[in-house]
Tab-separated table of all heavy atoms in Angstrom:
chain	number	residue	atom	x	y	z
E	30	ILE	N	-31.408	43.154	0.560
E	30	ILE	CA	-30.671	42.399	-0.455
E	30	ILE	C	-29.504	41.649	0.169
E	30	ILE	O	-29.280	40.463	-0.087
E	30	ILE	CB	-30.181	43.342	-1.574
E	30	ILE	CG1	-31.374	43.914	-2.346
E	30	ILE	CG2	-29.241	42.606	-2.514
E	30	ILE	CD1	-31.006	44.967	-3.362
E	34	VAL	N	-28.894	37.693	0.420
E	34	VAL	CA	-27.704	37.019	-0.098
E	34	VAL	C	-27.070	36.151	0.986
E	34	VAL	O	-26.667	35.014	0.747
E	34	VAL	CB	-26.681	38.048	-0.630
E	34	VAL	CG1	-25.363	37.367	-0.950
E	34	VAL	CG2	-27.233	38.753	-1.861
E	35	ILE	N	-26.997	36.713	2.217
E	35	ILE	CA	-26.409	35.959	3.328
E	35	ILE	C	-27.221	34.701	3.628
E	35	ILE	O	-26.678	33.617	3.825
E	35	ILE	CB	-26.312	36.851	4.586
E	35	ILE	CG1	-25.275	37.949	4.366
E	35	ILE	CG2	-25.950	36.023	5.817
E	35	ILE	CD1	-25.196	38.951	5.504
E	60	PHE	N	-9.137	-1.633	-4.646
E	60	PHE	CA	-7.993	-2.527	-4.687
E	60	PHE	C	-6.974	-2.115	-5.741
E	60	PHE	O	-5.792	-2.438	-5.624
E	60	PHE	CB	-8.458	-3.970	-4.920
E	60	PHE	CG	-9.002	-4.611	-3.676
E	60	PHE	CD1	-10.289	-4.340	-3.257
E	60	PHE	CD2	-8.224	-5.452	-2.908
E	60	PHE	CE1	-10.790	-4.913	-2.104
E	60	PHE	CE2	-8.718	-6.033	-1.759
E	60	PHE	CZ	-10.011	-5.765	-1.358
E	77	ASN	N	16.738	-0.787	-2.743
E	77	ASN	CA	17.489	-0.450	-1.538
E	77	ASN	C	18.728	-1.340	-1.415
E	77	ASN	O	18.646	-2.562	-1.571
E	77	ASN	CB	16.587	-0.624	-0.314
E	77	ASN	CG	17.236	-0.150	0.961
E	77	ASN	OD1	18.074	-0.837	1.524
E	77	ASN	ND2	16.835	1.019	1.426
E	93	ALA	N	10.234	-2.877	9.641
E	93	ALA	CA	9.442	-2.590	10.840
E	93	ALA	C	9.091	-1.107	10.932
E	93	ALA	O	7.967	-0.746	11.314
E	93	ALA	CB	10.216	-3.027	12.082
E	106	PHE	N	8.042	-8.115	4.122
E	106	PHE	CA	9.065	-9.144	4.256
E	106	PHE	C	9.802	-9.370	2.936
E	106	PHE	O	9.415	-8.833	1.890
E	106	PHE	CB	8.455	-10.454	4.758
E	106	PHE	CG	7.312	-10.989	3.928
E	106	PHE	CD1	7.499	-12.036	3.048
E	106	PHE	CD2	6.034	-10.451	4.049
E	106	PHE	CE1	6.447	-12.548	2.297
E	106	PHE	CE2	4.967	-10.945	3.297
E	106	PHE	CZ	5.182	-11.996	2.416
E	147	TYR	N	-4.377	-14.300	-1.973
E	147	TYR	CA	-4.837	-14.130	-0.597
E	147	TYR	C	-5.027	-15.465	0.097
E	147	TYR	O	-5.252	-16.502	-0.520
E	147	TYR	CB	-6.109	-13.284	-0.530
E	147	TYR	CG	-7.341	-13.928	-1.128
E	147	TYR	CD1	-8.212	-14.675	-0.346
E	147	TYR	CD2	-7.628	-13.771	-2.479
E	147	TYR	CE1	-9.348	-15.255	-0.890
E	147	TYR	CE2	-8.754	-14.350	-3.032
E	147	TYR	CZ	-9.615	-15.083	-2.243
E	147	TYR	OH	-10.728	-15.654	-2.779
E	153	VAL	N	1.920	-13.946	10.124
E	153	VAL	CA	0.996	-13.234	11.012
E	153	VAL	C	-0.205	-14.072	11.435
E	153	VAL	O	-0.880	-13.749	12.407
E	153	VAL	CB	0.509	-11.921	10.359
E	153	VAL	CG1	1.681	-10.998	10.106
E	153	VAL	CG2	-0.244	-12.195	9.052
E	182	GLU	N	-8.395	-8.258	7.965
E	182	GLU	CA	-9.192	-8.009	9.166
E	182	GLU	C	-9.364	-6.506	9.397
E	182	GLU	O	-10.425	-6.055	9.830
E	182	GLU	CB	-8.538	-8.664	10.381
E	182	GLU	CG	-8.645	-10.188	10.367
E	182	GLU	CD	-8.074	-10.828	11.611
E	182	GLU	OE1	-7.532	-10.089	12.467
E	182	GLU	OE2	-8.164	-12.057	11.734
E	210	GLN	N	-16.832	-12.527	4.743
E	210	GLN	CA	-16.545	-12.229	6.149
E	210	GLN	C	-17.593	-11.278	6.717
E	210	GLN	O	-18.042	-11.435	7.851
E	210	GLN	CB	-15.162	-11.583	6.281
E	210	GLN	CG	-14.007	-12.562	6.295
E	210	GLN	CD	-12.733	-11.885	6.750
E	210	GLN	OE1	-12.441	-10.763	6.349
E	210	GLN	NE2	-11.967	-12.549	7.583
E	211	PHE	N	-17.964	-10.281	5.917
E	211	PHE	CA	-18.969	-9.304	6.328
E	211	PHE	C	-20.292	-10.005	6.614
E	211	PHE	O	-20.935	-9.775	7.647
E	211	PHE	CB	-19.129	-8.260	5.232
E	211	PHE	CG	-20.121	-7.175	5.540
E	211	PHE	CD1	-20.287	-6.723	6.837
E	211	PHE	CD2	-20.870	-6.601	4.524
E	211	PHE	CE1	-21.193	-5.711	7.135
E	211	PHE	CE2	-21.785	-5.595	4.811
E	211	PHE	CZ	-21.947	-5.151	6.112
E	223	GLY	N	-31.602	-14.876	6.026
E	223	GLY	CA	-32.550	-14.653	4.939
E	223	GLY	C	-32.646	-13.206	4.532
E	223	GLY	O	-33.196	-12.890	3.469
Side-chain angles (χ1 to χ4, degrees):
I30 294 174
V34 171
I35 292 175
F60 282 80
N77 186 282
F106 55 102
Y147 68 92
V153 298
E182 289 184 357
Q210 278 193 318
F211 181 34

